[in-house]
Amino acid sequence: MGSLKTEEEIEEESKDAVLYVNGVRKVLPDGLAHLTLLEYLRDAGLTGTKLGCGEGGCGACTVMVSYFDQNSKKCVHQAINACLAPLYSVEGMHVITVEGVGNRKFGLHPVQESLASRHGSQCGFCTPGFIMSMYALLRSSKTPPTEEQIEESLAGNLCRCTGYRPILDAFRVFAKSNDALYTSGSVTSQEPKNGEFICPSTGKPCSCGPNKETVEKSDVCQSGYKAVSYNETDGSSYTDKELIFPPQLLLRKSSYLSLSGFNGIKWHRPLLLKHILELKLRYPNAKLVVGNTEVGIETRLKKIHYPVFIWVTHVPELNILTVDHDGIEIGAGVRLSELQNFLKKVIEERPVYETSSCKAIVEQIKWFAGTQIRNVASVGGNICSASPISDLNPLWMAAKQNSKLLTVKGTLEPFWRRISFWVIVKWIWGYVKEFKQAHRRDDDIALVNGGMRVFLEKRDKKWIVSDACIVYGGVAPVSLSAVKTKDYLIGKAWNKELLQKSLEILKQDVVISENAPGGMVEFRKSLTLSFFFKFFLWVSHQMNGQDSFNESVPASHLSAIESFHRPSVTGSQDYETTKQGTAVGSPKVHMSARLQVTGEAEYTDDTLMPPGGLHAALILSKKPHARLLTIDDSGARSSPGFAGIFFAKDIPGSNITGPIIEDEEVFASEIVTCVGQVIGVVVADTHENAKIAARKVVIDYEDLPAILSIEDAVKFKSFHPNTHRCLSKGDVDLCFQSDQCHKIIEGEVHIGGQEHFYLEPQSTFVWTMDGGNEVHMISSTQAPQKHQKYVAHVLGLPMSKVVCKVKRIGGGFGGKETRSAFFAAVASVPAYLLNRPIKLTLDRDVDMQVTGQRHSFLGKYKVGFTNEGKVLALDLEIYNNAGNSLDLSLAVLERSMYHSDNVYEIPNVRINGSVCFTNYPSNTAFRGFSGPQGMLVSENWIQRIATEVNKSPEDIREINFNSEGSILHYGQKQDCTLQRLWDELKKSCNFMKVRSEVEDFNRNNRWKKRGVAMIPTKFGISFTTKFMNQAGALVQVYTDGTVLVTHGGVEMGQGLHTKVAQIAASAFEIPLSSVFISETSTDKVPNASPTAASASSDMYGAAVLDACMQIKARMEPIASLKKHTSFVELVNTCYFERIDLSAHGFHIVPDIGFDWKTGKGHPYRYFTYGAAFAEVEIDTLTGDFHTRAADVILDLGFSINPAIDVGQIEGAFVQGMGWVALEELKWGDAAHKWIPPGCLFTSGPGSYKIPSVNDVPFKFKVSLLKDAPNDKAIHSSKAVGEPPFFLASSVFFAIKDAIIAARAESGSHGWFPLDNPATPERIRMACAYEFTAPFVKSDFRPKLSV
């Protein structure tokens, strides 16, 4: 191989590092090896590509890269995560960002147009990532992609707002043969002769279409979306403006690169295998990198420093994929997506008996991360990471994979190095099968996985195991081969006796210690048995029909081994439009949609940093409760780029803040009360330098006792002061003692918390003006006034000198109501003291660790009822986990108490509530504001009553419904449309028919079970604190006839600005396009309440209408002359007559108020009612589940914008599904001893799983109750943001219904607890059958952080 080159000789071979971005040539200078592609793009002003998580888990950073592949001699176009891609890794490639796809000035691409026009964008932060994933799929597809390919391409993109259905509908048109059905302007094509509307989701007649009057002409191509051209270089083109692959890159030859970066990083890109070996000899600890999907996580999250990287993607030998008579040779650098496509072809071309292992690998890769990760992750990287949960390593082992080694004699010192560069998969006879169980089906790491192989030979009329391999991942530090089980299998006949004995041996083969990392020990152990049982059934089924094979699989068992095939999502939306004026009542598209799909919509972190601007990073506590002894900041002060460090002593004003009571220090001064509490802040020239400096601060602690659960708080009476509350009605004790109650039950409900996971992390940008006399900020917040107040308080300034502006925020859900103000206060200190602009944007893991979540709850109930199931008395103790400061936790507790009856008439009620102080970061508001927690407690005891009286839960619910005029337990009378909703839902979902079909399915399927449930809800609308129910607005009419509206509400994706603009447009009888809302600002509308409580459209809409009516009243004398032919003429005439065309509007919510001394009052203006049906199917062997159908109906009065309201319902429902079935917070507590005390383990998308595109119900129907005006809100509408959230509990109770069927078949009857979230662990362990019996009893309750 020749002598080893010196570094100087290698560097002489390097040429300019060249990159094309959106068709523009960029020369990359040396010194940038520490940057990711995302950092480079955003620094270059291409801020459409977002930073959502920094670990490739959310897809917000998706871009398309194109490069010429030397093997295929074609250009490759694929989506990647820019947050993980090192900048130099895309050298020689063409990077297209969302800005390069299309824009408003020069025209939107069909992908962008389709998503915008079909309501596929709400907050918009995730939207560019979805656009780029779909765009890459279309560019790379010679023929239109299938619906399955479209859904698969989006599995690596997360959305927290929309519920995904409109995104799927928007993109599905590219796979449809008849795209005209989807073009909103083609009214005639949507109307068959019988007048029925053709549903865009199904292509069939349905009632989901909009009223003909509301269908608008759009810019959508009326001939449908089809590629206009295709070639091997540029891929598919959909417009004549499509960016081509730069011809210069076709002519350019790859060169050896040797570059550097910050902190001594060296970055090499060799072209030859010998170069890799030479570099590895020089740098023995160098990292060989292909996709950076593992190393990138290690460097960013685990803070590991690797000084030398060897990027091996350009070495031809490592990209080999060949087939011969012996098997397949796979280069270690082959990407997983490439391998998947290659193996699919092999499976088509080779005999079936040769390709069992290929099929298993293809199927496993399908569930391996998202498309963006598979496009860059390599075979070798997956093997070399030696992860205990590697999805492929168990299969390589099971498939008899061999490694081909190169042995190189070192020339620098006498040693040998052995490096593996190829994987050899040989053709093997027999059966190979893959297994994997994760929290979420798509784009999730395994809890347990497996690869199994068996070869059967016929001997003496028996099928004997001649070879076998059983391998598990997720049960040991590395993939574990079950050697004892394998040894037993060989030589044995394949029959039930073998199965039973193997299961016994497996219990000894796989041993997991009680506090093993990852927890869920009982579940993981039981999965090893389930996987083998499934393997036995699968092999037996494959062998069916073979001579002398008698182990046929019963028909009732076949569902256990059927491959999961997800049908495409079909959605329908049923509503009527009640138009009022020019815009109100119409299903208008979100006003920012076109900005969002092009990446032109700006968010806080997109704000251009001015000269002299600095970035901030937090210094955080590492202890849950401790005394601060010493703080050594010398390391930070000498860190590169350091500009300042600030602690409690540096605060110019007050160090104590809080939204209700001031009980939270900005910077901890003496005592820390949670992990993640802010101790100080560092500012530096870059975000990375600020974080590095913050990590260099050394703090000594003295540990103090910590309260880490509600149970401990109750035990040690750890409550926030003055937070006990009580509500009562009737005489509970007397009722229990009387003979009216035929039965009395008692129990506990444990309710898990939930992370907000807004796609845009907490972010604030603060600067001073006029020599430091004023402070201004742009923040991602739901409460600009709180930012203004906090910053003024901390800096010792009057509020009149502090201004907070908000253009839009990338999701909030309550998490940016109060907690965001705290971080604005933190950032304001260095900004004010240094008189320099400061930007503070939290990394996703920090955001999740320190900003608080939905409150976990503990409910202890005692319920008395009759033999018929009529509820007579409820005695409830309810506790919430507030964390280390009060924040909004008392108001949260109060709403849970108001909603603890859900929709049920209970004559005697007593509810006692307490707010627990624990040593966790302060929990805060979240969509529903704990109403869902209170209602979930009630639905638990409703279902338990059903069990006790042997009736269906739906029957128990209905006989206990509130009726019109019911007086609730806090004294409020209600107007009720519940029964009408319930009846319409039963008819819509055909409940009795589906119930019968489910029972038939369950009778015929042993290992798969289905369940159904119908759930009602009642949600009170208003802030429960009276003074907050006020709103202001400013309306200004200009002489060109356009109107500028400013109000106190914040646009966070819920369509508030769009609805408010519709109200203004209708008030003036002008087109919606003539109304503009720029931003929310405290210097335009003062003292605004937070955008929360679902009440913003009601309040700010009414305030805007008030201002409009004032202006119209002033214009009336001129207008009455009827001499104008247009609004513009009228406005100009008024202007010349010196009529004021500006007005401040104001609104207060009437007839509300509550007195906690008496426990009676009217906390709510009105109620929003709803009901939902869900059907689910569970795999009792693994705990996996999917939602087959969801049918949701709400009473929203006369909707101001039904399209936006439907989007809110779908988004809330899917977010609620996450709370009840997917999203589990795991804290370091007594239940999770493998996590350091007080620390959050689930601090990113890698470990915390929100619903993905493949969690959407297969059939998703949303309806709005017709002809139900609400006279207590503007234009007879009702609030929508929070009420639908709880309806997702229909999925939870459908899961429980399926579990009941499974337990019954195993002989377990009666009540059992099921805590939320109903994760695979809880589902599987609750099923209580022979595979769980060795590890737990039937009443086992998996651990939950509460």
Side-chain angles (χ1 to χ4, degrees), residues 1035 1037 1110-1111 1114-1115 1134-1135 1137-1143:
V1035 175
V1037 180
Q1110 291 178 44
I1111 296 172
R1114 296 176 201 149
M1115 299 170 74
C1134 291
Y1135 171 69
E1137 291 296 326
R1138 296 181 298 176
I1139 292 174
D1140 184 3
L1141 296 175
S1142 174

Side-chain angles (χ1 to χ4, degrees), residues 151-187:
E151 293 191 14
E152 189 174 325
S153 74
L154 303 178
N157 293 80
L158 297 178
C159 175
R160 197 56 153 162
C161 296
T162 65
Y164 299 103
R165 192 278 310 164
I167 298 174
L168 294 174
D169 274 0
F171 290 160
R172 187 175 289 129
V173 300
F174 295 93
K176 282 280 186 181
S177 57
N178 183 9
D179 293 332
L181 295 175
Y182 283 76
T183 55
S184 61
S186 299
V187 180

Side-chain angles (χ1 to χ4, degrees), residues 671-907:
I671 302 289
V672 291
T673 52
C674 72
V675 174
Q677 185 171 353
V678 178
I679 297 173
V681 64
V682 176
V683 290
D685 59 347
T686 69
H687 188 202
E688 192 60 35
N689 281 343
K691 291 191 291 184
I692 290 171
R695 291 199 294 270
K696 291 180 179 179
V697 176
V698 179
I699 301 174
D700 287 330
Y701 303 89
E702 176 190 333
D703 286 332
L704 299 172
I707 302 291
L708 298 176
S709 68
I710 292 178
E711 184 180 349
D712 282 349
V714 173
K715 179 180 178 180
F716 296 106
K717 296 184 174 11
S718 177
F719 302 112
H720 284 274
N722 304 313
T723 59
H724 179 264
R725 291 290 184 267
C726 182
L727 290 174
S728 64
K729 171 187 174 183
D731 192 326
V732 171
D733 293 327
L734 180 62
C735 185
F736 282 143
Q737 294 165 9
S738 71
D739 56 5
Q740 290 180 292
C741 293
H742 300 148
K743 295 186 178 183
I744 296 174
I745 55 173
E746 296 185 62
E748 290 187 0
V749 181
H750 301 174
I751 300 174
Q754 184 183 24
E755 165 60 29
H756 300 88
F757 213 98
Y758 28 70
L759 264 291
E760 178 199 21
Q762 298 276 3
S763 184
T764 189
F765 180 44
V766 188
W767 69 97
T768 57
M769 294 184 67
D770 199 21
N773 187 46
E774 302 174 39
V775 175
H776 287 234
M777 74 191 93
I778 297 171
S779 291
S780 181
T781 178
Q782 297 171 238
Q785 188 265 355
K786 278 192 169 59
H787 281 230
Q788 178 191 29
K789 183 177 180 180
Y790 272 44
V791 169
H793 184 64
V794 168
L795 299 183
L797 294 174
M799 290 176 66
S800 57
K801 291 188 176 183
V802 179
V803 177
C804 180
K805 297 176 182 289
V806 182
K807 173 71 74 173
R808 63 178 60 82
I809 68 175
F813 314 112
K816 295 176 181 176
E817 182 176 345
T818 57
R819 304 313 299 161
S820 58
F822 178 89
F823 299 104
V826 168
S828 72
V829 174
Y832 184 71
L833 295 178
L834 296 178
N835 211 23
R836 295 175 70 176
I838 301 292
K839 184 181 285 187
L840 172 60
T841 300
L842 301 187
D843 286 342
R844 176 63 60 185
D845 57 330
V846 174
D847 189 302
M848 292 183 69
Q849 289 167 16
V850 308
T851 60
Q853 287 95 14
R854 180 186 297 280
H855 292 70
S856 57
F857 267 73
L858 171 63
K860 299 182 178 182
Y861 63 81
K862 182 178 179 181
V863 181
F865 52 96
T866 68
N867 288 331
E868 291 72 36
K870 185 69 175 175
V871 180
L872 300 177
L874 167 66
D875 191 3
L876 176 66
E877 293 178 24
I878 195 164
Y879 305 90
N880 70 354
N881 187 335
N884 71 333
S885 75
L886 184 60
D887 193 74
L888 300 177
S889 296
L890 179 56
V892 165
L893 177 78
E894 290 170 354
R895 185 174 277 265
S896 73
M897 295 171 68
Y898 291 139
H899 286 74
S900 287
D901 63 335
N902 194 6
V903 297
Y904 305 118
E905 189 75 48
I906 312 172

Side-chain angles (χ1 to χ4, degrees), residues 1260-1277:
F1260 199 0
K1261 182 178 181 181
V1262 173
S1263 305
L1264 304 186
L1265 188 67
K1266 298 177 177 66
D1267 192 25
N1270 172 36
D1271 61 4
K1272 295 179 179 177
I1274 186 168
H1275 292 311
S1276 301
S1277 64

Side-chain angles (χ1 to χ4, degrees), residues 959-979:
I959 66 172
N960 285 288
F961 277 169
N962 290 136
S963 58
E964 183 72 24
S966 291
I967 304 298
L968 303 176
H969 58 284
Y970 44 88
Q972 181 159 351
K973 183 178 178 181
Q974 63 171 347
D975 299 320
C976 189
T977 56
L978 179 61
Q979 190 65 56

